[in-house]
């Protein structure tokens, strides 16, 4: 899915990094907050900064409890392990991150298979979900978990409509399934839509937010749910080696991000719209209109492969993602300025 070019010692330094919003670097102010953090043993509940972060995210998502984890992928794994048993089935979109980019973790760790549903922009409908449900039978895998990704990465950063999420979760719960939201870019959806994070998370038994993407922290994600679910999730955190000790140093970066880097996501969205508009005027590129900070360009009609495009851009110090056989992804974030957007559009134009 993600295909960075091989390292080339002769290539110029990367000056514009549109590869992913995971490429953000902590600012000096964020580093100073980390330096000043009060710390303790996180595993024993004695790190006040981690405790403050978990309490804040639980409130943000409207949940009773939360836990701090190193990454969003680990949040997904811990949630899946908590909700599922070996042989269970998870229902998600066919392009979901848990299928495409987590090393087969649901199968390898939980022994659960993921049934991927079709649908444009990373979405499926309530009718699609109903059609995928089976009557309980000793002959088929128990369908135990519904998973959605907000925003939909491979769907172009598209935002799931709240009413659809509510309908999907209602159908799943009526069928006896648990529900989980992969909130890797949930705060992008919040800023773009004006809908509160707690409203998006409300229909889901577990949800998490990532601090390493547009929020700019070097690591960290927080998984939230009921007190009972998070208590069970702690056993899986322990089994996976997730004791973080004096993790307040890292949690302080996440608290700083909540204070300073949420509202400014709107700048990333504006930069993405400008980038998409500029690329749309280049012959051979089919550009999807972004809702948030992800810009996808299909290069099939250009006569060049996405790898060729990426290599030509990399030679100019610009790094982008290759997504599949025909698409490039360009991701705006806090280290990408409006001027860099104009430089990138000019670079595409010159290559063409």
């Amino acid at each position: 899915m993600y295909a960075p070019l091989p390292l080339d010692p002769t290539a110029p330094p990367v000056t514009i990094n549109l590869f992913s919003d995971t490429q953000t670097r902590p600012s000096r102010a964020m580093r100073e907050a980390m330096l000043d953090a009060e710390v303790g043993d996180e595993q024993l509940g004695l790190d006040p900064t981690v405790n403050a972060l978990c309490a804040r995210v639980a409130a943000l998502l409207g949940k009773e409890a939360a836990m701090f984890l190193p990454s969003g992928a680990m949040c997904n794994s811990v949630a899946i392990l908590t909700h599922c048993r070996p042989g269970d089935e998870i229902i998600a979109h066919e392009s979901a991150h848990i299928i495409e980019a987590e090393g087969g973790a649901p199968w390898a760790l939980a022994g659960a298979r993921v049934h991927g549903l079709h649908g444009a922009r990373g979405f499926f409908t309530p009718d699609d979900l109903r059609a995928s449900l089976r009557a309980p039978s000793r002959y088929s895998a128990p369908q135990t978990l519904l998973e959605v990704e907000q925003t939909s990465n491979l769907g172009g950063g598209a935002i799931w409509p709240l009413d659809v999420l509510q309908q999907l979760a209602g159908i799943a719960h009526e069928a006896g399934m648990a529900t989980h939201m992969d909130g890797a870019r949930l705060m992008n959806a919040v800023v773009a839509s004006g809908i509160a994070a707690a409203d998006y998370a409300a229909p889901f038994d577990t949800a998490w937010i990532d601090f390493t993407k547009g929020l700019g922290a070097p690591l960290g994600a927080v998984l939230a749910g009921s007190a009972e679910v998070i208590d069970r999730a702690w056993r899986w955190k322990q089994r996976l080696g997730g004791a973080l000790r004096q993790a307040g140093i890292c949690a302080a970066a996440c608290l700083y991000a909540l204070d300073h880097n949420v509202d400014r996501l709107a700048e990333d969205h504006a930069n993405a719209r400008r980038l998409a508009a500029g690329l749309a005027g280049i012959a051979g590129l089919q550009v999807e209109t972004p809702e948030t900070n992800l810009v996808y360009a299909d290069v099939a009609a250009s006569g060049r492969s996405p790898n060729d495009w990426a290599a030509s851009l990399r030679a100019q110090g610009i790094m982008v993602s290759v997504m599949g056989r025909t698409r490039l992804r360009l991701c705006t974030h806090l280290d990408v300025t409006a001027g860099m957007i104009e430089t990138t559009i000019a670079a595409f134009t010159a290559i063409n």
Side-chain angles (χ1 to χ4, degrees), residues 151-350:
T151 63
S152 171
N153 180 3
L154 292 184
I159 301 169
W160 279 90
L162 178 59
D163 65 325
V164 175
L165 293 176
Q166 292 168 335
Q167 291 179 62
L168 292 172
I171 294 165
H173 285 145
E174 186 176 349
M177 302 172 70
T179 55
H180 173 65
M181 173 179 282
D182 173 336
R185 294 183 177 88
L186 174 58
M187 299 313 294
N188 289 91
V190 168
V191 170
S193 69
I195 295 172
D199 291 335
Y200 279 128
F204 295 88
D205 298 303
T206 48
W208 58 271
I209 61 173
D210 195 330
F211 291 94
T212 70
K213 295 185 171 67
L215 297 183
L219 62 84
V222 175
L223 175 69
S226 69
E228 184 272 332
V229 166
I230 295 302
D231 185 59
R232 287 192 287 121
W234 262 97
R235 186 180 300 277
W236 284 110
K237 177 178 177 178
Q238 184 69 21
R239 286 172 173 169
L240 295 175
L244 300 178
R245 307 308 181 194
Q246 290 73 40
I249 292 173
C250 301
C254 303
L255 286 168
Y256 179 92
L258 287 175
D259 288 335
H260 300 279
N261 291 347
V262 174
D263 291 343
R264 63 143 312 279
L265 291 171
E267 299 173 25
D268 300 338
H269 302 166
N271 283 337
R273 290 192 295 272
R274 168 57 191 143
L275 178 59
L279 298 185
I282 299 174
L285 300 186
Q286 183 177 352
V287 183
E288 302 169 22
T289 301
E291 292 184 43
T292 51
N293 68 320
L294 303 181
V295 178
Y296 279 84
D298 192 298
V299 302
S302 72
R304 304 184 63 180
S305 73
N307 281 319
D308 288 341
W309 278 96
S312 295
L313 291 164
R314 182 65 187 85
Q316 300 179 65
I318 301 171
M319 190 172 177
V320 302
S321 296
V322 172
M323 300 297 235
R325 292 187 293 272
T326 65
R327 291 206 299 175
L328 295 173
R329 189 189 74 174
L330 299 90
C331 186
T332 59
H333 51 79
L334 61 82
D335 290 338
V336 175
T337 66
M340 291 176 180
I341 296 298
E342 300 306 321
T343 300
T344 300
I345 294 169
F348 267 89
T349 303

Side-chain angles (χ1 to χ4, degrees), residues 24-48:
T24 57
R25 297 182 180 184
S27 65
R28 175 169 292 277
M30 180 180 282
R31 292 173 189 239
E32 289 172 353
M34 297 169 74
L35 178 65
D36 293 337
E38 188 178 355
V39 299
D41 191 327
E42 179 266 353
Q43 187 183 28
L44 298 180
L46 299 177
D47 190 302

Side-chain angles (χ1 to χ4, degrees), residues 46-66:
L46 299 177
D47 190 302
T49 310
V50 171
N51 293 344
L53 174 65
C54 289
R56 186 163 173 183
V57 174
L60 180 69
L61 297 182
K63 304 300 183 187
E64 292 180 334

